[in-house]
Amino acid sequence: MRVVIPGAAGILARKVALRLLADGHEVVGMDRRPWAEAPFEFHELDIRKRAAEEVFRRVRPQAMVHMATVTSLLVSGEERYQINLGGTRAAFEYARACGVEHCVFVGRHTFYGAGSNSPLFHTEDEPPLELNRFPELADLVAADLYAASALWRFPELATTVMRVCYTLGPSGHGTLSGFLRGRWVPQVFGFDPLFQFLHEDDFVRALVLTLG
């Protein structure tokens, strides 16, 4: 299977790409960040630019794993909005135009919010919450909703939306890992919050299985 991965230079995305490569798939990566030692075809470019569309047209991938989103901890303001929503829209448009059969959008569990009255377990039909208190999540939620809407807007395109919780593992990737690496581990005084996390290797396996 030929798989294109926007955002391939990210820590978890690299693990996904290498696992797909090891399983015998043909991988093409693209990212604004460099990955000089990538053991497959890799393009340092912006998913919103014409060069990215040209890669799609030339490669004609059968599947896309979209991991090219950013958080407010890395990029702020209008640029983040354009990367998350504009980039997601562009990626799906390229995929549809070039005959991609399956698109996987890797979102975040923060889609559901973290209010004190939120349920312990979420279902797929729950709307995004807490945007009034955390507007920094708006662009990620918009990108997620755009990807999810492809389920009915583009019926010829199989679409999977994965809303991934915190990951932990050897790479030390993510917010929760950052807290645990510190000399002092912060906690909320007088409250023992619940955390859900997933080993990064289990996330990789789940994503690869999703592609079939």
Side-chain angles (χ1 to χ4, degrees), residues 84 191 193:
N84 289 338
F191 180 65

Side-chain angles (χ1 to χ4, degrees), residues 3-27:
V3 185
V4 65
I5 306 179
I11 294 176
L12 289 181
R14 292 188 183 205
K15 295 177 74 73
V16 170
L18 294 175
R19 174 61 183 269
L20 287 170
L21 193 66
D23 286 351
H25 300 290
E26 181 182 344
V27 178

Side-chain angles (χ1 to χ4, degrees), residues 102-145:
H102 189 179
C103 290
V104 177
F105 175 84
V106 181
R108 293 168 172 80
H109 68 289
T110 46
F111 173 91
Y112 298 107
S116 58
N117 59 344
S118 295
L120 183 58
F121 299 104
H122 295 285
T123 60
E124 291 298 317
D125 59 352
E126 287 184 34
L129 301 173
E130 306 303 315
L131 287 179
N132 58 325
R133 287 194 281 181
F134 301 101
E136 296 84 359
L137 295 176
D139 47 274
L140 284 173
V141 169
D144 188 296
L145 291 174

Side-chain angles (χ1 to χ4, degrees), residues 161-183:
V161 175
M162 299 182 70
R163 294 169 183 153
V164 184
C165 63
Y166 291 116
T167 57
L168 292 174
S171 70
H173 167 79
T175 304
L176 189 56
S177 291
F179 286 149
L180 296 176
R181 280 199 308 271
R183 181 179 179 185

Side-chain angles (χ1 to χ4, degrees), residues 35-51:
W35 186 3
E37 71 280 11
F40 49 79
E41 182 179 341
F42 179 84
H43 301 271
E44 189 177 340
L45 49 76
D46 189 324
I47 185 63
R48 298 166 293 173
K49 304 300 183 181
R50 184 175 180 83

Side-chain angles (χ1 to χ4, degrees), residues 57-78:
R57 291 190 183 280
R58 177 178 57 80
V59 173
R60 294 285 172 176
Q62 297 162 284
M64 176 182 75
V65 179
H66 182 53
M67 301 183 72
T69 57
V70 295
T71 71
S72 59
L73 298 176
L74 300 176
V75 180
S76 61
E78 179 66 18

